[in-house]
Amino acid sequence: MNGKGQESGAGGDLTTDLSALDFAAVSPEEFARIVKGLSARQLGEVMHGNLRTRVLGEVFGRMRQQFRPEAAGDLTALIRWKITGESEEVYETAIAGGACEVTRGRSAGEPRTTLVMGDAEFLKLVSGNGNPVTMFMTRKLKVAGDVGLASGLTRYFDIPKA
């Protein structure tokens, strides 16, 4: 035994291991592999406190680079993301003029669609490890507003593959 895993429950050292990660240095593909290797319970365990803030900040921070303007064409839309868990975090993605801007918090703008999901579901969705239609049908992903826009969001971003 290497001294790890002495806490009861799987993933006892998981938060410690991931908190040491420099998320800025992790490629989207590597992030997708990390998420794929964790259970929903483990993903939930990871998403607490400062580590949750860092993970959400990094994921939303990369959306601009992952955006595919050629796929979005002349789309203009404000997408509000509500990530539930230990607290509700709100981010917004504004797509207009072939550009994507991401902001933390709720703006005064009226979103065309709002996506509400838990931490684990969010990580699975943005890492390409979750099927948005299945998540919607099983009520793990709630959509308010333009469901058609929500169902096509993945084509506007380069989603990593694990």
Side-chain angles (χ1 to χ4, degrees):
M1 180 168 240
N2 63 4
K4 291 191 174 194
Q6 293 177 354
E7 292 181 32
S8 64
D13 294 309
L14 186 63
T15 302
T16 304
D17 293 346
L18 291 178
S19 65
L21 251 177
D22 178 4
F23 286 99
V26 175
S27 72
E29 292 75 21
E30 180 62 22
F31 180 75
R33 281 191 293 278
I34 291 169
V35 171
K36 185 175 186 174
L38 301 176
S39 69
R41 190 178 117 274
Q42 289 173 316
L43 291 171
E45 288 174 6
V46 166
M47 295 296 278
H48 288 289
N50 185 47
L51 185 55
R52 181 177 193 249
T53 302
R54 286 175 48 210
V55 169
L56 290 175
E58 193 60 40
V59 168
F60 280 104
R62 290 182 181 192
M63 279 191 179
R64 192 173 18 250
Q65 291 90 344
Q66 302 296 114
F67 181 64
R68 298 176 56 217
E70 70 284 355
D74 60 357
L75 174 68
T76 299
L78 178 65
I79 297 103
R80 184 170 290 153
W81 304 77
K82 289 184 185 178
I83 316 304
T84 61
E86 69 179 10
S87 64
E88 182 178 281
E89 288 288 335
V90 176
Y91 284 81
E92 292 183 338
T93 307
I95 298 173
C100 174
E101 291 299 320
V102 178
T103 55
R104 184 175 182 190
R106 181 186 315 264
S107 71
E110 185 63 32
R112 188 158 150 193
T113 193
T114 299
L115 307 171
V116 182
M117 70 204 83
D119 291 325
E121 290 74 27
F122 172 73
L123 293 177
K124 288 178 181 181
L125 186 69
V126 299
S127 67
N129 288 302
N131 181 315
V133 173
T134 301
M135 293 168 81
F136 178 75
M137 298 303 282
T138 58
R139 306 186 87 162
K140 292 182 178 184
L141 166 64
K142 295 176 181 78
V143 178
D146 188 340
V147 176
L149 172 64
S151 69
L153 274 179
T154 55
R155 74 173 160 257
Y156 303 130
F157 296 90
D158 282 326
I159 308 292
K161 302 290 183 262

